[in-house]
Amino acid sequence: MDEMEEELKCPVCGSFYREPIILPCSHNICLACARNILVQTPDAESPQSSRASGSGVSDYDYLDLDKMSLYSEADSGYGSYGGFVSAPTTPCQKSPNGVRVFPPTVPQPQQQHLLPHPGSLTPIPRNSCITCPQCHRSLILDDRGLRGFPKNRVLEGVVDRYQQSKAAALKCQLCEKSPKEATVMCEQCDVFYCDPCRLRCHPPRGPLAKHRLVPPAQGRISRRASPRKISTCTEHELENLSMYCVQCKMPVCYQCLEEGKHGTHEVKALGAMWKLHKGQLSQALNGLSDRATEAKEFLVQLKNMVQHIQENGVEFEACLVAQCDALIDALNRRKAQLLSQVNKEHEHKLKVVRDQISHCTVKLRQTTGLMEYCLEVIKENDPSGFLQISDALIRRVHMTESQWGKGTLTPRMTSDFDLTLDSGPLLQTIHQLDFVQMKVPAAPMLQLEECCTQNNSATLSWKQPPLSTITVEGYILELDDGNGGPFREVYVGTETICTVDGLHFNSTYKSRVKAFNASGVGQYSKTLIMQTSETGLPPCDIQSIGTVAWFTFDPASAHPDIIFSNDNLTVTCNSYDDRVVLGNTAFSRGVHYWEMTVDRYDNHPDPAFGIARSDVLKDVMLGKDDKAWAMYVDNNRSWFMHNNSHTNRTDGGITKGATIGVLLDFTRGILIFLVNDEQQGPVAFEGLEGAYYPAISLNRNVQVTLHTGLPIPDFYTPGEADPTGSVC
């Protein structure tokens, strides 16, 4: 009940209501507070049509009342008519609830003798005006003043009960010395008990066992609850309120009706309207209760968000530190690599210079030795001996001199390092390092109204949540294997609708989708369970219906010479050679039957009908390779063919208008052919497993039309094949 306390406080004084009255705008105010905010108006501006009281103003009068509003737009508080002698001149004050009110006018000294006795009520001046402190609607009081407004006894009773529930704890009435706090009250005994006294004086057995024990607060309220008072009319104080004026929306008495004020209005019994409005209030409370429940859940969500924000803040901060540390580690690693490169350059320079020093030192020592030797030879006085070696020495001196030629005395390496670290782009990147508003996408929402299955195909549609603003670069659609196995990707792209073909019949598939962008992959959507077309054979004494499937020929997988028409249900060919075309639906489970009618049959060709794998050869007759199982037929007879093996020649051919039927039963793994509704030969093929497409091969002399969605022929019933190959 603590949340209700603000409803029980006056908007002017901020305290609990005391003698609350109801203003015509349905707001409440203390009687004493109403006296405090009265403003006197001039006599000239007191139109009788605007005089209002609690019983004389209807909802239709509010437009006129608003025109006389004293609300001041300058200070958002309350003002008075300018120039009025009796208008308050003291500044307005604010109540505890933030409503601006004027204090009572202080009388002048010459008016002191006119003041009433302190114990009596101050008379209300004529032509007084009151403005609602909540909606700012104003009205002129009549001669009755504030007595013209009805008292809100219901609100007064609620305030009284609320204050009683907040009072001090009740004491036990049977404790002899220091009374303990009461824990229960007996409604029949009208006594408050503590636990020991209850066990001692009010045992839960015998004649007292039928007494009703209630909590003390509830017992106090029931004890103090007085009988419902009979309300009296505010205009006719001796008359009880017994009727309700529907137009004025207020209780009235019989005298009000007799005087004619409400004589033309629609009136109803007070008790009936009381029950009706209680029911309406209860219904309105139900809706408000739902909103309050949603608000509580929303507050819980917001509080959880606070915790999540704190947790995510810590996590994000740790992630940021880790990312910066990773950048620092990468920079340190690059620093080490660059330093290693510098060290290598340093060692290389030193090695080149040291090698040159060593080389020059050796050559200089050799040159110096040669020079000293030549000087000693020059000192010899033996001409013949000198001439014997002079030519060789001259050649050696010239050769040594040439060895000190150009470049020999030039350093092979400079002392400068020809390396410059280009750190500008990196520094610019570091300065530009900032957060981007990029997150992984939210989980997509599957659009159930657009998701469906047809035959063995499933179409799924999805979209991003309405409030999501995160960029999405694509989607990933996943399906399981139809048997509770793991999910696998079946589509990756930017489209928001996808049709998956080639599923198993009579299978339940689970599907889900997720979105991705540069930041990563988002959460999965809710899992959608989809059922492909049903299949199955009924008991032996019931006709087999099988799986009803609709499909057409598939232009995407057909040979280029095939010509399509009639919404891909009719095919022919522009070549004299046989060309293969497949259906657009594959079968792997159930019992399936389809037919083809021969629209054109010229020059006795032999078209082939049957089933095939998706990788069958398309430029030869159906059945020439090991990927097809077929029956080819001319105008006189037919053969079964698989892997170029011809078997079971059967009399009876086709002409224009003939019908060829194909019956594929995966429950027994067999294939049967029909011509003009009669089985053509024995069971054509057995042991069929896997996925097969309806198939046909034909040339330009034949045109056929496909018919699907057909029931199983009447002659075919469940059973095992007999030794002769016929069907039971």
Side-chain angles (χ1 to χ4, degrees):
M1 294 178 65
D2 293 338
E3 292 84 356
M4 184 180 62
E5 185 169 315
E6 290 301 321
E7 292 285 335
L8 308 180
K9 291 184 177 181
C10 175
V12 177
C13 64
S15 302
F16 288 109
Y17 283 105
R18 295 184 299 276
E19 298 183 273
I21 59 175
I22 306 175
L23 299 179
C25 57
S26 301
H27 292 130
N28 301 283
I29 189 174
C30 295
L31 181 59
C33 295
R35 289 179 172 274
N36 289 338
I37 64 174
L38 285 176
V39 176
Q40 187 175 352
T41 61
D43 294 341
E45 299 187 14
S46 302
Q48 295 298 324
S49 60
S50 298
R51 291 183 177 271
S53 66
S55 60
V57 178
S58 68
D59 288 346
Y60 301 98
D61 297 324
Y62 288 146
L63 293 177
D64 293 332
L65 295 178
D66 284 342
K67 295 178 181 178
M68 297 188 300
S69 176
L70 304 183
Y71 176 66
S72 170
E73 295 180 355
D75 60 0
S76 300
Y78 294 92
S80 62
Y81 290 106
F84 294 171
V85 176
S86 60
T89 57
T90 56
C92 62
Q93 301 174 352
K94 279 193 176 181
S95 74
N97 284 5
V99 179
R100 295 189 177 187
V101 298
F102 288 101
T105 304
V106 179
Q108 300 297 326
Q110 61 270 22
Q111 297 175 339
Q112 292 290 340
H113 66 281
L114 300 177
L115 291 177
H117 189 272
S120 63
L121 294 175
T122 305
I124 297 176
R126 295 184 57 192
N127 303 329
S128 295
C129 174
I130 187 171
T131 302
C132 175
Q134 291 182 277
C135 65
H136 312 305
R137 289 172 176 169
S138 303
L139 68 154
I140 305 297
L141 273 64
D142 57 15
D143 294 336
R144 294 174 299 162
L146 296 177
R147 290 185 296 105
F149 297 114
K151 294 182 179 180
N152 195 337
R153 289 183 298 275
V154 175
L155 177 58
E156 192 172 10
V158 173
V159 171
D160 183 53
R161 291 197 298 272
Y162 181 79
Q163 289 179 324
Q164 289 177 6
S165 66
K166 292 295 184 179
L170 294 170
K171 301 295 182 181
C172 176
Q173 295 177 278
L174 299 183
C175 291
E176 296 181 356
K177 294 183 179 180
S178 56
K180 298 181 180 178
E181 184 177 342
T183 57
V184 294
M185 174 196 172
C186 177
E187 289 187 336
Q188 286 71 27
C189 301
D190 196 19
V191 175
F192 291 94
Y193 297 94
C194 63
D195 287 336
C197 293
R198 178 179 58 82
L199 295 176
R200 177 169 52 86
C201 304
H202 201 289
R205 58 186 179 277
L208 300 179
K210 296 183 179 180
H211 287 195
R212 184 168 179 262
L213 302 178
V214 296
Q218 181 180 346
R220 174 166 52 187
I221 293 173
S222 62
R223 170 186 280 189
R224 296 187 179 182
S226 58
R228 182 164 58 93
K229 297 179 182 179
I230 300 177
S231 304
T232 58
C233 181
T234 56
E235 295 190 6
H236 312 95
E237 297 181 355
L238 299 179
E239 295 292 334
N240 296 331
L241 297 173
S242 57
M243 304 298 290
Y244 183 82
C245 179
V246 178
Q247 182 174 346
C248 298
K249 296 183 179 180
M250 60 180 299
V252 295
C253 65
Y254 280 105
Q255 191 170 347
C256 293
L257 300 178
E258 292 175 358
E259 291 178 354
K261 189 172 184 179
H262 301 276
T264 60
H265 295 177
E266 180 185 0
V267 294
K268 293 186 178 181
L270 189 65
M273 293 302 295
W274 176 43
K275 294 181 180 179
L276 176 62
H277 281 209
K278 274 196 172 183
Q280 292 176 351
L281 180 59
S282 298
Q283 292 180 356
L285 282 176
N286 289 335
L288 185 60
S289 176
D290 294 339
R291 301 290 84 77
T293 301
E294 294 176 0
K296 289 180 181 179
E297 295 175 354
F298 181 65
L299 285 175
V300 172
Q301 180 182 354
L302 291 180
K303 292 178 181 179
N304 292 335
M305 283 185 62
V306 171
Q307 181 179 357
H308 291 161
I309 289 173
Q310 293 175 344
E311 295 175 355
N312 292 340
V314 174
E315 181 181 354
F316 188 78
E317 185 176 332
C319 180
L320 177 62
V321 171
Q323 288 179 313
C324 292
D325 290 343
L327 293 177
I328 294 173
D329 291 341
L331 186 60
N332 287 332
R333 288 193 299 271
R334 187 56 180 166
K335 173 185 174 182
Q337 295 173 356
L338 295 176
L339 287 176
S340 175
Q341 185 175 349
V342 171
N343 289 334
K344 289 181 180 179
E345 182 69 14
H346 174 260
E347 294 297 331
H348 173 67
K349 285 180 174 292
L350 289 178
K351 183 177 182 301
V352 171
V353 173
R354 286 169 179 169
D355 289 345
Q356 190 174 12
I357 291 174
S358 176
H359 177 72
C360 289
T361 301
V362 172
K363 287 192 65 64
L364 180 59
R365 184 171 59 250
Q366 293 174 350
T367 302
T368 303
L370 178 60
M371 291 173 58
E372 292 178 352
Y373 174 66
C374 290
L375 290 175
E376 292 298 326
V377 170
I378 291 175
K379 293 178 181 180
E380 289 295 330
N381 295 323
D382 183 4
S384 58
F386 177 81
L387 292 174
Q388 287 178 346
I389 62 174
S390 60
D391 290 334
L393 287 176
I394 292 172
R395 286 195 301 272
R396 284 185 62 189
V397 169
H398 288 303
M399 184 181 300
T400 302
E401 183 181 1
S402 64
Q403 291 178 352
W404 291 100
K406 185 177 182 181
T408 305
L409 300 179
T410 302
R412 298 177 184 175
M413 187 64 64
T414 63
S415 60
D416 297 330
F417 284 79
D418 298 330
L419 299 174
T420 301
L421 182 61
D422 186 12
S423 60
L426 180 58
L427 289 175
Q428 184 178 1
T429 303
I430 292 176
H431 290 309
Q432 294 176 350
L433 188 64
D434 200 353
F435 300 105
V436 293
Q437 297 297 327
M438 176 65 74
K439 300 180 180 178
V440 295
M445 297 173 57
L446 289 170
Q447 297 183 277
L448 301 182
E449 65 278 3
E450 299 185 16
C451 297
C452 62
T453 58
Q454 182 177 8
N455 296 336
N456 62 338
S457 299
T459 299
L460 295 103
S461 177
W462 60 88
K463 64 180 181 180
Q464 279 297 104
L467 300 179
S468 177
T469 58
I470 302 175
T471 302
V472 175
E473 296 182 1
Y475 300 93
I476 301 174
L477 176 63
E478 297 182 358
L479 266 70
D480 68 353
D481 60 357
N483 197 27
F487 283 91
R488 66 187 189 278
E489 293 184 2
V490 296
Y491 171 75
V492 178
T494 58
E495 299 295 331
T496 57
I497 186 170
C498 177
T499 298
V500 184
D501 299 318
L503 303 177
H504 296 300
F505 280 91
N506 194 26
S507 300
T508 301
Y509 285 89
K510 295 180 180 179
S511 58
R512 62 188 184 184
V513 64
K514 58 184 178 180
F516 64 87
N517 58 17
S519 296
V521 181
Q523 297 292 324
Y524 284 105
S525 66
K526 293 183 178 179
T527 300
L528 178 64
I529 300 177
M530 308 183 75
Q531 175 74 39
T532 54
S533 298
E534 296 182 357
T535 185
L537 294 174
C540 291
D541 58 345
I542 302 178
Q543 178 184 0
S544 176
I545 298 177
T547 300
V548 178
W550 289 265
F551 60 91
T552 64
F553 289 116
D554 183 19
S557 61
H559 192 279
D561 293 339
I562 297 294
I563 301 174
F564 294 85
S565 60
N566 189 23
D567 294 331
N568 298 331
L569 292 174
T570 301
V571 292
T572 184
C573 182
N574 59 11
S575 172
Y576 286 105
D577 297 324
D578 291 305
R579 301 298 187 228
V580 174
V581 58
L582 304 179
N584 63 356
T585 299
F587 301 113
S588 60
R589 298 180 186 177
V591 183
H592 310 277
Y593 179 71
W594 62 94
E595 293 180 347
M596 285 159 282
T597 56
V598 180
D599 302 328
R600 180 167 50 83
Y601 187 77
D602 302 329
N603 302 324
H604 309 300
D606 46 2
F609 309 87
I611 59 176
R613 305 285 192 187
S614 60
D615 55 348
V616 65
L617 295 177
K618 306 292 175 55
D619 55 355
V620 295
M621 178 184 287
L622 193 69
K624 287 285 187 179
D625 60 0
D626 61 347
K627 306 296 184 181
W629 294 256
M631 177 190 74
Y632 69 93
V633 56
D634 58 17
N635 61 323
N636 291 320
R637 62 192 67 82
S638 66
W639 290 265
F640 301 146
M641 183 166 61
H642 169 64
N643 201 15
N644 204 25
S645 174
H646 307 254
T647 60
N648 297 99
R649 170 178 169 175
T650 303
D651 292 335
I654 60 173
T655 59
K656 178 181 178 181
T659 300
I660 296 87
V662 181
L663 176 61
L664 177 60
D665 185 355
F666 282 101
T667 62
R668 298 164 58 189
I670 61 174
L671 182 65
I672 299 173
F673 294 98
L674 294 85
V675 175
N676 296 327
D677 298 326
E678 297 291 337
Q679 182 174 341
Q680 185 77 354
V683 173
F685 301 100
E686 298 179 342
L688 298 176
E689 294 181 350
Y692 301 91
Y693 290 86
I696 179 177
S697 66
L698 72 172
N699 61 18
R700 64 183 305 165
N701 294 317
V702 183
Q703 177 177 302
V704 299
T705 296
L706 175 66
H707 305 278
T708 63
L710 305 176
I712 303 301
D714 295 339
F715 80 91
Y716 187 76
T717 56
E720 299 293 336
D722 63 15
T724 63
S726 61
V727 179
C728 66

